[in-house]
């Protein structure tokens, strides 16, 4: 027993991840597997039975968990109403006409929603991807990969993502400079996503009806595009509300979780209200969309993820991992690479891996780096490592809700995203080396 308790913290975390995936493979609901792993986490990290129960309850009842559950309810309800009123099909039809193909619209829709940095936002773009795809021509895993991958292409530099905001502050790099040095990463993510995800998913199958995907031309195309603009009103309302209310709350002195969640919740509510009035959805249809049985598994998933993350934090897992890495006297560059990746793998959030690892990364940099442009190279190096860990994290909320929405196999989704993730990571590492040379 003592040997088991003295297992290195990093090994414990990796074993717990393996346990989650194994239990899921054995047909246990994913939320149940994560809840069980949370209990094992507390016990294994020495919190004791009472301490583990307390940590899990505190995490479940936290403002972050409750607000995330409310956001997911709102986003799922909005997506159901969009589908129920026919707005979704008209939006997809118009975008498909404008972009000249289902593959382009399937990639563009989650990318559009990705401009709105909302927790679990993939659950909103998933119905759009499903509508844009060609029925059963793509597998659930291919649809999942399209939604998940293109949802996150902006997170390298988009200045409204909390992870980017925190990273720019810690490294003392202005947002516009981060945009300039990380725009190539978004271009690489789009390129590799198109090559390794979109092309295999949307290639024409032998014997398929070539005319089935023909796009409208002339007046018909213009009409479809106008319809897309009209039907995108709920999405525009949500984005506009989120981006205006957030700064307004900050200017009024409101901070903390309120600034992070209230704009998204209010935006979803405003979009639902618009649909209820403009499309005459009615109270019953709105209530059915918001409080249907389909909401329950997703709420349990969100709660399980937040409990698992909270238990790891309260049990001191990150501090123990950092101590282990220092004890093994690894080279500084290895720790600078490992800490963001491991933190992201454990937390599944950009702001999480930045907050947990970047202060330590900065403390390990050579003297004078933070006062020179050399920090651009280290910033890119650490961020792309963390980003790769985040995209591969089995507790990344967007990955889990996407998998659940499309009823896809977890391991087959990883097969879809592993190659583009590795290619983008290698590109990012090469880019950081280039920046070290030119700056």
């Amino acid at each position: 027993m003592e040997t088991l308790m003295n297992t290195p913290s990093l090994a414990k975390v990796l074993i717990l991840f393996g346990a989650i995936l194994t239990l899921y493979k054995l047909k246990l609901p994913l939320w149940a597997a994560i809840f069980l792993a949370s209990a094992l986490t507390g016990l294994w990290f020495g919190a004791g039975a009472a301490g583990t129960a307390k940590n899990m309850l505190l995490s479940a009842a936290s403002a972050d968990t409750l607000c995330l559950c409310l956001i997911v309810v709102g986003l799922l309800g909005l997506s159901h109403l969009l589908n129920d009123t026919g707005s979704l099909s008209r939006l997809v039809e118009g975008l498909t006409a404008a972009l000249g193909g289902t593959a382009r619209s399937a990639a563009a829709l989650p990318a559009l929603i990705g401009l709105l940095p909302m927790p679990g936002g993939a659950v909103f773009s998933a119905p759009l991807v499903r509508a844009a795809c060609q029925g059963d021509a793509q597998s659930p895993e291919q649809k999942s990969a399209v939604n998940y991958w293109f949802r996150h292409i902006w997170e390298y530099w988009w200045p409204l993502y909390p992870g980017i905001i925190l990273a720019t502050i810690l490294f003392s790099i202005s947002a516009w400079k981060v945009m300039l040095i990380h725009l190539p990463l978004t271009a690489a993510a789009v390129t590799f996503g198109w090559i390794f995800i979109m092309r295999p998913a949307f290639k024409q199958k032998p014997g398929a009806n070539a005319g089935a995907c023909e796009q409208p031309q002339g007046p018909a195309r213009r009409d479809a595009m106008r319809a897309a603009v009209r039907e995108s009103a709920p999405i525009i309302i949500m984005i506009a509300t989120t981006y205006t209310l957030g700064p307004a709350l900050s200017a009024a002195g409101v901070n903390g979780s309120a600034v992070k969640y209230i704009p998204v919740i209010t935006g979803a509510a405003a979009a639902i209200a618009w649909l209820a009035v403009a499309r005459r959805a009615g109270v019953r249809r709105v209530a059915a969309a918001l409080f249907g049985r389909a909401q329950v598994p997703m709420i349990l998933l969100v709660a399980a993820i937040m409990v698992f993350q909270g238990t790891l934090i309260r049990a001191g897992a990150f501090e123990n991992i950092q101590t282990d890495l220092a004890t093994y006297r690894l080279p500084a560059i290895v720790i600078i690479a490992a800490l963001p990746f491991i933190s992201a793998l454990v937390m599944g959030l950009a702001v999480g891996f930045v907050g947990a690892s970047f202060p330590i990364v900065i403390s390990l940099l050579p003297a004078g780096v933070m006062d020179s442009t050399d920090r651009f190279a280290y910033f890119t190096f650490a961020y792309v490592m963390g980003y790769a860990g985040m995209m591969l994290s089995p507790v990344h909320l967007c990955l889990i809700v996407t998998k659940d929405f499309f009823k896809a196999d977890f391991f087959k989704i990883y097969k879809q995203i592993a190659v583009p993730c590795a290619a983008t990571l290698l590109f990012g590492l090469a880019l950081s080396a280039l920046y070290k040379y030119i700056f």
Side-chain angles (χ1 to χ4, degrees), residues 47-391:
T52 298
K54 179 182 177 182
N55 289 341
M56 291 179 68
L57 287 173
L58 287 173
S59 299
S62 70
D64 284 339
T65 301
L66 297 177
C67 287
L68 273 174
C69 289
L70 190 58
I71 286 173
V72 167
V73 168
L75 294 180
L76 280 175
L78 178 56
S79 66
H80 287 322
L81 277 178
L82 283 168
N83 186 58
D84 194 34
T85 58
S87 293
L88 185 62
S89 59
R90 290 189 291 271
L91 171 61
V92 171
E93 179 185 348
L95 279 178
T96 301
L99 297 172
T102 53
R104 291 173 186 169
S105 58
L109 287 163
L112 172 66
I113 302 303
L115 292 172
L116 186 64
M118 52 190 175
V123 76
F124 186 27
S125 57
L128 304 177
V129 171
R130 180 179 61 186
C133 287
Q134 304 161 340
D136 295 327
Q138 292 79 35
S139 68
E141 292 75 28
Q142 287 174 324
K143 295 172 186 175
S144 297
V146 171
N147 186 54
Y148 181 59
W149 184 262
F150 288 94
R151 164 81 176 82
H152 294 91
I153 60 173
W154 311 111
E155 204 161 351
Y156 288 107
W157 59 271
W158 186 243
L160 294 177
Y161 273 99
I164 286 294
I165 294 171
L166 181 58
T168 57
I169 292 171
L170 291 174
F171 265 84
S172 299
I173 304 175
S174 58
W176 71 269
K177 289 181 180 177
V178 171
M179 180 185 72
L180 288 178
I181 65 175
H182 279 188
L183 265 175
L185 292 169
T186 291
V190 171
T191 301
F192 293 130
W194 191 268
I195 293 172
F196 297 113
I197 296 176
M198 300 304 295
R199 279 187 177 176
F202 286 85
K203 64 183 179 182
Q204 188 76 19
K205 290 180 171 55
N209 183 4
C213 296
E214 290 179 359
Q215 304 304 319
Q217 302 295 326
R221 181 173 184 178
R222 287 193 294 272
D223 289 344
M225 292 170 66
R226 290 192 192 101
V229 173
R230 290 195 302 270
E231 301 304 336
S232 64
I235 298 174
I236 294 171
I237 288 170
M238 183 168 182
I239 293 175
T241 302
T242 302
Y243 283 166
T244 55
L245 186 56
L249 289 173
S250 298
V254 180
N255 49 40
S257 296
V259 174
K260 185 164 54 172
Y261 296 119
I262 287 178
V264 181
I265 294 170
T266 306
I272 290 171
W274 187 93
L275 275 173
V277 174
R279 296 290 177 261
R280 300 178 182 178
V283 175
R284 286 189 178 181
R285 289 170 76 182
V286 171
L290 289 172
F291 306 114
R293 288 185 178 181
Q295 301 277 25
V296 176
M298 202 68 74
I299 292 171
L300 288 172
L301 272 175
V302 172
I305 292 166
M306 297 304 292
V307 167
F308 182 58
Q309 292 177 355
T311 304
L312 280 168
I313 292 170
R314 288 183 169 89
F318 296 111
E319 291 84 353
N320 291 335
I321 289 172
Q322 292 160 9
T323 302
D324 287 347
L325 290 173
T327 301
Y328 299 143
R329 299 182 182 278
L330 297 172
I333 193 64
V334 174
I335 299 177
I336 291 171
L339 275 181
F341 184 85
I342 295 168
S343 299
L345 202 63
V346 171
M347 302 184 78
L349 290 168
V351 69
F353 81 72
V354 169
S357 66
F358 273 34
I360 299 165
V361 166
I362 291 170
S363 70
L364 295 172
L365 297 181
V369 164
M370 287 301 293
D371 298 320
S372 71
T373 53
D374 284 348
R375 69 187 188 280
F376 294 168
Y378 287 100
F379 171 78
T380 299
F381 181 86
Y383 195 86
V384 296
M385 290 300 302
Y387 185 94
M390 177 189 74
M391 292 298 288

